[in-house]
Amino acid sequence: MRYVGNSVSIQQQAVMIRNLRSLSTLCLTFLSSCVALNTQLVISNAKVAPDDFVKDAIVVNGHYPGPVLTAVKGERFQINVTNMLVDRSMNKSTSIHWHGIKQHLSNEMDGTAMVTQCPIVSGHSFMYDFTPANQSGTFWYHSHFTLQYCEGLRGPMVIYDPLDPHLDMYDIDDKSTILTILDWFHMNAYDVTGTTNPDAILINGRGRYEGGPLVPLSVLSVVQGKRYRIRLLNMACKPSFAFSIDSHTFTVIEADSENTLPLVVDSVQIFAGQRYSLILNANQTVDNYWIRANPNYNTTFAGGQNSAILRYEGASQRDPIHRDWTLSNPLSEPNLHALESPAAPGHPGVGDADVSLNLVAMWDDNIGRFLINGYSYIPPTSPVLLQILTGQLDAGQLQPYGSVYTLPPHKTIELSVPGGQPENYHPLHLHGHAFSVVRSAGSDTYNYHNPVRRDTTSNGVAGDNVTIRFRTDNFGPWLFHCHIDWHLELGMAVVFAPETDDNSLRITSSWKQLCPNYDDLSSTIRNES
């Protein structure tokens, strides 16, 4: 594991790729002996001002957002997380989820507090150790405890594939072509309400707010004639964005770390938790162009809000001019198709799966929480995985009651999630799996032949019945939840758990110690931590 370096020429990349191909082959052959560079992530509190408004936040290795983590396909991750948090208003305990990593045979490393582990107590460390052997693409990491990632504990992660089937479509793919979009509030996350909009949108950690100073914006530098793989991540806690760059189109080649057939678009709606790889051809006149992340609430681009800058080599260092650029070819999810093994698992046909579930989300005014099929998810006092490992409860008794669905192993599961209630759309993320979206939001067509495969999708609006399929081929309890973090905090989640306790997990003594450490906190401190 290492931080990505500076841009390299295509000739240098060719040499690097040949070297990485050898390394990757060795890693895939001898997984136990191939270890990426060990990484230390220190989680602490600090004052930050990404838009010139000073606010208390959570930083990773002193940075907001956290540093880029990279590896090569087949490499082993060993990430030692040290918790140095002291501010109780943002919670002192923590955990880190590796969003998009399936954690095959390593469910205990998923980082989901009270599902796969107890939180890491302040003053303690925990080593996340896993090998995503068959995965590559664009990922990210974030706290999966209370509302912490909204306070800053989030960062991008990339696994490079030396044998990327789209390799001949781009010249540059490095740290400089990663674009993260974040929402930024000038208040504590616990003070945000359902009607509160972000004060600023940050692209690569920089942004402007209404009435604020014209602070420098993030710049994506390009050379005319080169082709760039932009890795776009929505690491926000709340809004979706319509992403575009004035006078430029893109070719989509990846959705949530899954390769897709190339698709040309001029804008991309990206929901919280989603990632895309977009090929940008720097084929316009040398100049500055607005990069736009238009959030799904009433706002403007005035004064450079919700924006960054695409700057061609040789252009002056100034904000771009306004251009009349009409968007006419937005990305539509049903038009995306998986590149490899495109068919959805199981027999084609609505409901023609081994297990079919319908999950209906509602808001309950009486308790002020979300319900799924009548139950609000409240984290249990003991992690679901620990409940399974101790064997003290039958599968049907796992806590929290009503929010745990036991599924048979090695079967095809079909989930339908009606849209529209409550509160419009919800970006739904499944841990431990990628799923085929056989019916997308905005469409009434079912596609079992070649749907897009990903790990986060929107359930749409009233009239939608988004339907996904996946195989239960990965042991462990896995969370399925809305990725608007306040909705998760208010109960919009369920857990899919295995019917059997047969597993190949390598439970470490340090993992076993997490719960005693957390339980040793007094109930008052635990509630604040």
Side-chain angles (χ1 to χ4, degrees), residues 314-331:
S316 59
Q317 295 191 18
R318 59 173 177 80
D319 281 1
I321 61 171
H322 173 75
R323 289 180 169 83
D324 291 326
W325 172 241
T326 302
L327 301 175
S328 60
N329 187 26
L331 172 64

Side-chain angles (χ1 to χ4, degrees), residues 357-362 372-373 415-422 424-426 428 439 441 458-467 492:
L357 293 172
N358 187 46
L359 300 180
V360 179
M362 299 182 65
I372 293 183
N373 288 2
L415 297 182
S416 57
V417 188
Q421 63 171 345
N424 211 334
Y425 75 87
H426 298 274
L428 299 171
R439 177 175 169 177
S458 166
N459 74 328
V461 297
D464 281 320
N465 190 38
V466 169
T467 305
M492 191 177 284

Side-chain angles (χ1 to χ4, degrees), residues 168-172 177 220-230 243 245-253 263-266 277-287 289 310-312 325:
D168 62 350
M169 295 183 64
Y170 55 89
D171 304 305
I172 306 295
T177 62
L220 172 57
S221 299
V222 297
V223 176
Q224 190 180 48
K226 294 290 187 181
R227 302 165 303 168
Y228 295 81
R229 179 172 181 163
I230 296 177
F243 175 86
I245 301 179
D246 286 1
S247 302
H248 293 77
T249 60
F250 317 108
T251 301
V252 183
I253 61 168
L263 178 67
V264 176
V265 301
D266 60 16
S277 278
L278 314 172
I279 304 302
L280 170 72
N281 191 347
N283 57 5
Q284 297 299 303
T285 302
V286 171
D287 206 343
Y289 298 84
L310 178 73
R311 176 166 294 150
Y312 278 70
W325 172 241

Side-chain angles (χ1 to χ4, degrees), residues 385-405:
L385 177 58
L386 185 59
Q387 297 175 47
I388 294 171
L389 294 177
T390 56
Q392 295 177 352
L393 296 175
D394 293 335
Q397 297 175 309
L398 294 172
Q399 301 296 313
Y401 179 78
S403 294
V404 180
Y405 291 74

Side-chain angles (χ1 to χ4, degrees), residues 42-322:
V42 178
I43 315 302
S44 61
N45 297 112
K47 292 184 181 296
V48 300
D51 59 354
D52 206 47
F53 182 92
V54 179
K55 178 183 176 295
D56 291 313
I58 298 174
V59 295
V60 184
N61 291 359
H63 296 286
Y64 178 85
V68 179
L69 303 180
T70 72
V72 176
K73 184 177 181 180
E75 286 188 317
R76 179 178 172 187
F77 287 62
Q78 289 184 310
I79 306 171
N80 191 57
V81 174
T82 300
N83 180 358
M84 300 297 290
L85 295 172
V86 295
D87 189 336
R88 289 183 179 176
S89 74
M90 290 177 274
N91 301 102
K92 291 172 59 180
S93 299
T94 193
S95 72
I96 296 188
H97 170 57
W98 316 97
H99 186 112
I101 300 297
K102 296 176 184 176
Q103 299 293 358
H104 185 64
L105 300 181
S106 54
N107 174 262
E108 77 280 10
M109 295 296 162
D110 191 51
T112 313
M114 307 321 293
V115 177
T116 62
Q117 69 167 88
C118 280
I120 307 167
V121 173
S122 179
H124 291 254
S125 298
F126 178 70
M127 174 74 78
Y128 288 95
D129 187 349
F130 53 91
T131 304
N134 295 312
Q135 288 192 265
S136 62
T138 309
F139 308 85
W140 59 301
Y141 61 93
H142 60 84
S143 171
H144 220 299
F145 182 60
T146 63
L147 298 173
Q148 272 185 344
Y149 99 73
C150 307
E151 301 287 7
L153 207 176
R154 47 189 166 181
M157 184 164 64
V158 177
I159 300 177
Y160 293 98
D161 182 3
L163 303 178
D164 176 17
H166 295 306
L167 193 62
D168 62 350
M169 295 183 64
Y170 55 89
D171 304 305
I172 306 295
D173 175 24
D174 60 15
K175 181 180 179 180
S176 73
T177 62
I178 297 172
L179 292 181
T180 63
I181 310 177
L182 317 176
D183 45 359
W184 181 243
F185 295 85
H186 293 171
M187 63 180 71
N188 186 282
Y190 286 104
D191 296 324
V192 173
T193 69
T195 59
T196 306
N197 291 326
D199 292 285
I201 298 302
L202 310 180
I203 299 180
N204 283 1
R206 294 183 179 182
R208 298 172 183 170
Y209 64 94
E210 185 177 4
L214 299 180
V215 297
L217 296 173
S218 294
V219 175
L220 172 57
S221 299
V222 297
V223 176
Q224 190 180 48
K226 294 290 187 181
R227 302 165 303 168
Y228 295 81
R229 179 172 181 163
I230 296 177
R231 295 180 183 267
L232 181 69
L233 303 92
N234 183 345
M235 303 196 311
C237 286
K238 194 173 185 180
S240 67
F241 302 93
F243 175 86
S244 64
I245 301 179
D246 286 1
S247 302
H248 293 77
T249 60
F250 317 108
T251 301
V252 183
I253 61 168
E254 175 209 346
D256 298 351
S257 77
E258 296 285 340
N259 292 321
T260 67
L261 290 174
L263 178 67
V264 176
V265 301
D266 60 16
S267 64
V268 173
Q269 184 178 25
I270 183 168
F271 294 91
Q274 290 186 328
R275 297 89 64 209
Y276 287 102
S277 278
L278 314 172
I279 304 302
L280 170 72
N281 191 347
N283 57 5
Q284 297 299 303
T285 302
V286 171
D287 206 343
N288 296 292
Y289 298 84
W290 283 117
I291 298 174
R292 303 181 185 271
N294 191 16
N296 62 324
Y297 54 85
N298 187 25
T299 184
T300 72
F301 294 109
Q305 295 179 77
N306 312 312
S307 302
I309 298 170
L310 178 73
R311 176 166 294 150
Y312 278 70
E313 184 179 66
S316 59
Q317 295 191 18
R318 59 173 177 80
D319 281 1
I321 61 171
H322 173 75

